[in-house]
Amino acid sequence: MHLTTLATCSLNQWALDFDGNTSRIIESCRQAKAANAALRAGPELEIPGYGCLDHFLENDLYLHCWEKLAEILTHSDCQDILIDVGMPVQHRNVRYNCRVIVFNHQILLIRPKIWLANDGNYREMRYFTPWLRPQHVEDFYLPRLISKITGATKVPFGDAVISTPDTCLGFETCQELFEARAPHIDMSLNGVEIITNSSGSHHELRKLDTRIRLIQEATRKAGGVYLYSNQLGGDGDRLLYDGCAMILVNGDIVAQGSQFSLKDVEVVTATVDIEDVRSYRFAPSRGLQAIQAPTYQRIETSYSLSPEHTSLHRLISPSRPIEPRIHAPEEEIALGPACWLWDYLRRCGGASGYCLALSGGIDSCATAMIVFSMCREAIKAIDHGNEQVIKDVRSLCAEPEDSIYLPETPQKLCNRIFHTCFMGTASSSSAETRNRAKGLADKIGAYHTNLNIDTVVKALTDLFTLVTSFTPRFRVYGGTQAENLALQNIQARLRMVVIYLFAQLLPTVRKRPGGGSLLVLGSANVDECLRGYLTKYDCSSADINPIGSISKTDLKRFIAWAKDKFELPILEEFLTATPTAELEPISKEYVQSDEVDMGMTYDELSGPVWDVDTLSE
């Protein structure tokens, strides 16, 4: 047996937070060493943070990365363990997205990313150049501050692998796993037994399923140990990175971290037997392919990942396979945006909470439930003694530095940082929607305000009449389509103005120390945005729209799930209510309906109408 303990991690890194990012990297190394791990793998571009955007074009960023790598090289918690760390590197005046492999004050290898992510949310080729020279290695001349530490002037730069006395290690970066000819194929055929993948992979509904299947298939066909690391949380951009660090052996998951977490550092470890990889690769057909595979340059180190004396094997045993933990889509809606909202709020200076126009409909209800889910996760973290969350909660609640305040329930936290506002009109808003909004706010603990905006609407229409001598009328009173739409849009846009006024001043009204302001949340789902069924600059014009990429049908399933999971029976009222904007006067003969206005149902809107394959044609 050749047993070794390996560690991978998910880190909540923040773009350009060099000090904070480095401290989290060092903490992950400390935790990995505490678990007797011989190798620590980390996320993509973890020193500067993945989402630095055009800052990757600035030379200062590269200098700061080298400065922080120097801290890692010399830190006591980063010795006697092989560390795979991510940072950008300029080589011969070309920028590369790199893995830097270090051990005991030495840089063993700088491995640039070969295949860059350059579609969807990613524009890596704007900042970096792919290393389109597989298996090629050349010299990289180190900055002087690093040479003073390592005693070397140059190190290998390129597509190489690390050879230890007991095994061989290779390195992939994020997108490379998803490619048809992924580097791990040739690495595995070349005898590489342990492969790390360092990712900055964002959350999408059901994406984790694909990610797990790809890694399972890779190691099931080629054999080997695969360490997947990912960034966690929001890093200042609009994406959420969903963690879920994993270790797989020959197609089986032996360790898996959480996909959504408020932890800043989560380290996942497993003990593996390298001999299991060697016996798994017994097939003669694999041998025939292996002798034809391209050869990788091996960078040698005397460090062994497995203990030298077999007597130590009695103290440890290989980690057993486990079933993959995959959230239902409804859980992903509850947890993903909630974690992003928490990260954004705690790192957004001056913001004291969130404010939402709560209409009594299912869309704003879904946004409110995501905020409530955020509060639930924060309370769970407090119960588990998460010191960072405790510190953040006290800061958001404007507690003094010596305060020992801790909210006991999600409702109590919600009341301090979440504000809702129902803005109706006497003629268009029903008692049912007004009561639903208030009832939901009461159940989740939000600070709720109930008002009519008739006086503001009348002031604008009176102004228009004064200037034009024309009085617009709703359709039900004989007005034209243009008049009807204009009168609806006035209400919708005024709600945006009013909600921002309340967001700026409610903390002051509530006598929050230091005042502060609230971030305004929107509640426009993706179907209505695609269809164009919204008013420009209405309540969809918010600071953040947590449901902007989620369909109405998925939101309804989420609310049905939350009704039982969060023990909120009131949500049934939102599920059965007729979707309505409530912008036209209600009468016995007429009640406005979204689906009638659009000319199609939400089921039709969320279905084949917006099928991706159809759109691409």
Side-chain angles (χ1 to χ4, degrees):
M1 297 176 75
H2 279 86
L3 296 174
T4 182
T5 299
L6 309 174
T8 183
C9 63
S10 298
L11 302 183
N12 193 325
Q13 304 296 71
W14 192 248
L16 302 177
D17 180 16
F18 292 98
D19 290 339
N21 293 346
T22 303
S23 68
R24 286 181 283 273
I25 292 170
I26 292 171
E27 173 61 19
S28 70
C29 294
R30 188 195 65 79
Q31 292 186 24
K33 285 183 65 177
N36 295 316
L39 166 68
R40 175 268 184 199
E44 185 175 11
L45 296 170
E46 58 189 307
I47 291 181
Y50 184 85
C52 294
L53 303 178
D54 279 3
H55 290 289
F56 283 124
L57 305 178
E58 300 170 359
N59 286 338
D60 277 357
L61 181 142
Y62 295 81
L63 171 61
H64 295 322
C65 286
W66 284 113
E67 290 171 342
K68 294 306 172 183
L69 182 64
E71 287 186 28
I72 294 169
L73 282 168
T74 56
H75 199 280
S76 59
D77 287 332
C78 300
Q79 308 308 312
D80 301 320
I81 182 172
L82 193 64
I83 300 173
D84 173 6
V85 66
M87 60 178 273
V89 174
Q90 285 186 336
H91 175 53
R92 299 181 180 177
N93 304 127
V94 180
R95 295 180 299 271
Y96 296 99
N97 177 348
C98 294
R99 306 306 304 169
V100 182
I101 316 305
V102 304
F103 178 73
N104 282 3
H105 300 89
Q106 299 297 312
I107 296 177
L108 303 181
L109 170 68
I110 301 176
R111 196 273 188 182
K113 190 173 182 179
I114 298 174
W115 302 112
L116 301 180
N118 207 57
D119 57 4
N121 289 304
Y122 298 100
R123 292 292 180 271
E124 290 184 11
M125 289 187 71
R126 178 179 175 87
Y127 321 118
F128 306 115
T129 299
W131 183 256
L132 298 180
R133 307 177 75 181
Q135 294 87 46
H136 176 77
V137 181
E138 55 196 38
D139 289 336
F140 174 84
Y141 288 86
L142 293 169
R144 283 175 290 182
L145 80 159
I146 300 296
S147 291
K148 290 178 182 178
I149 297 170
T150 65
T153 58
K154 58 185 181 181
V155 295
F157 184 100
D159 187 22
V161 297
I162 300 293
S163 179
T164 71
D166 53 351
T167 188
C168 187
L169 299 90
F171 311 93
E172 284 189 328
T173 306
C174 198
Q175 178 69 24
E176 294 172 346
L177 167 66
F178 293 81
E179 297 300 327
R181 188 171 180 179
H184 66 254
I185 297 172
D186 286 337
M187 287 183 190
S188 299
L189 291 173
N190 205 243
V192 173
E193 296 169 333
I194 300 172
I195 297 173
T196 69
N197 182 298
S198 304
S199 286
S201 185
H202 72 286
H203 170 241
E204 290 179 359
L205 285 179
R206 308 167 182 88
K207 183 180 179 181
L208 179 60
D209 311 43
T210 301
R211 197 183 296 153
I212 289 177
R213 286 197 301 269
L214 282 171
I215 301 175
Q216 285 181 319
E217 191 63 21
T219 56
R220 187 173 288 124
K221 288 200 301 184
V225 179
Y226 203 98
L227 281 73
Y228 176 82
S229 177
N230 194 16
Q231 191 160 309
L232 182 68
D235 73 343
D237 199 1
R238 59 196 181 94
L239 301 180
L240 173 84
Y241 303 94
D242 59 344
C244 201
M246 293 176 282
I247 300 176
L248 290 86
V249 180
N250 300 336
D252 292 323
I253 299 176
V254 295
Q256 180 182 356
S258 56
Q259 185 180 8
F260 307 108
S261 172
L262 300 189
K263 294 179 180 178
D264 280 350
V265 177
E266 184 176 49
V267 175
V268 174
T269 63
T271 299
V272 302
D273 185 359
I274 300 171
E275 292 295 339
D276 287 342
V277 176
R278 294 165 184 166
S279 61
Y280 189 86
R281 293 175 172 175
F282 73 94
S285 58
R286 181 199 172 276
L288 293 173
Q289 294 180 60
I291 60 176
Q292 300 177 63
T295 301
Y296 284 81
Q297 180 174 330
R298 297 197 174 202
I299 310 301
E300 295 185 355
T301 175
S302 60
Y303 175 63
S304 295
L305 270 64
S306 59
E308 182 177 357
H309 303 290
T310 56
S311 60
L312 294 177
H313 294 169
R314 300 170 187 171
L315 304 178
I316 55 175
S317 60
S319 301
R320 306 301 301 169
I322 60 174
E323 289 297 318
R325 298 189 297 273
I326 300 176
H327 292 287
E330 296 82 1
E331 289 181 287
E332 292 188 75
I333 294 173
L335 297 173
C339 290
W340 188 94
L341 286 176
W342 179 255
D343 268 346
Y344 197 87
L345 180 61
R346 72 189 180 105
R347 285 166 161 162
C348 189
S352 57
Y354 288 118
C355 190
L356 170 68
L358 189 59
S359 68
I362 201 162
D363 291 330
S364 61
C365 167
T367 300
M369 294 316 300
I370 288 171
V371 178
F372 184 61
S373 176
M374 177 194 79
C375 293
R376 285 170 54 92
E377 292 306 301
I379 295 299
K380 289 179 185 176
I382 290 172
D383 292 342
H384 285 92
N386 188 318
E387 291 297 329
Q388 184 61 55
V389 172
I390 291 172
K391 178 182 176 182
D392 291 333
V393 165
R394 289 173 178 161
S395 175
L396 289 170
C397 295
E399 292 292 320
E401 290 187 6
D402 59 350
S403 172
I404 60 171
Y405 165 80
L406 285 177
E408 298 89 2
T409 66
Q411 286 81 358
K412 289 187 177 180
L413 177 57
C414 227
N415 185 260
R416 298 289 293 268
I417 65 174
F418 188 37
H419 300 67
T420 56
C421 186
F422 182 89
M423 296 172 287
T425 60
S427 61
S428 302
S429 302
S430 67
E432 289 80 8
T433 53
R434 192 182 298 267
N435 292 336
R436 274 201 304 272
K438 183 180 185 306
L440 179 62
D442 290 344
K443 290 295 182 182
I444 65 176
Y447 182 89
H448 187 65
T449 306
N450 189 342
L451 69 143
N452 281 341
I453 60 172
D454 298 79
T455 54
V456 188
V457 174
K458 187 176 186 302
L460 276 181
T461 53
D462 285 351
L463 173 64
F464 180 82
T465 300
L466 178 65
V467 173
T468 64
S469 300
F470 180 84
T471 302
R473 295 175 296 171
F474 282 104
R475 182 172 48 193
V476 295
Y477 300 139
T480 64
Q481 177 70 357
E483 294 172 66
N484 195 60
L485 286 175
L487 290 173
Q488 291 184 68
N489 289 339
I490 287 173
Q491 298 173 63
R493 291 186 178 119
L494 282 173
R495 286 172 179 166
M496 184 269 287
V497 174
V498 172
I499 196 66
Y500 268 98
L501 173 65
F502 275 69
Q504 285 187 294
L505 293 179
L506 276 178
T508 302
V509 170
R510 298 186 67 187
K511 295 181 172 54
R512 180 184 185 272
S517 61
L518 306 170
L519 295 168
V520 176
L521 298 179
S523 54
N525 63 66
V526 70
D527 299 328
E528 293 171 350
C529 292
L530 288 171
R531 176 67 173 79
Y533 183 68
L534 54 88
T535 299
K536 293 179 182 177
Y537 309 112
D538 67 349
C539 284
S540 63
S541 299
D543 297 317
I544 302 165
N545 184 9
I547 65 170
S549 62
I550 307 174
S551 73
K552 189 87 163 188
T553 50
D554 278 341
L555 288 174
K556 291 178 73 173
R557 285 196 289 264
F558 161 58
I559 294 300
W561 172 87
K563 176 173 71 74
D564 298 326
K565 185 67 175 180
F566 296 167
E567 298 179 350
L568 292 171
I570 193 175
L571 295 181
E572 183 64 31
E573 299 178 24
F574 290 84
L575 289 168
T576 56
T578 300
T580 174
E582 288 198 335
L583 294 172
E584 296 184 70
I586 298 171
S587 67
K588 292 181 180 179
E589 295 78 24
Y590 179 76
V591 176
Q592 188 177 17
S593 165
D594 291 350
E595 294 179 329
V596 172
D597 286 350
M598 289 190 297
M600 62 177 65
T601 67
Y602 278 106
D603 286 340
E604 292 170 333
L605 188 55
S606 297
V609 174
W610 303 114
D611 182 81
V612 173
D613 295 330
T614 303
L615 287 175
S616 65
E617 294 172 2

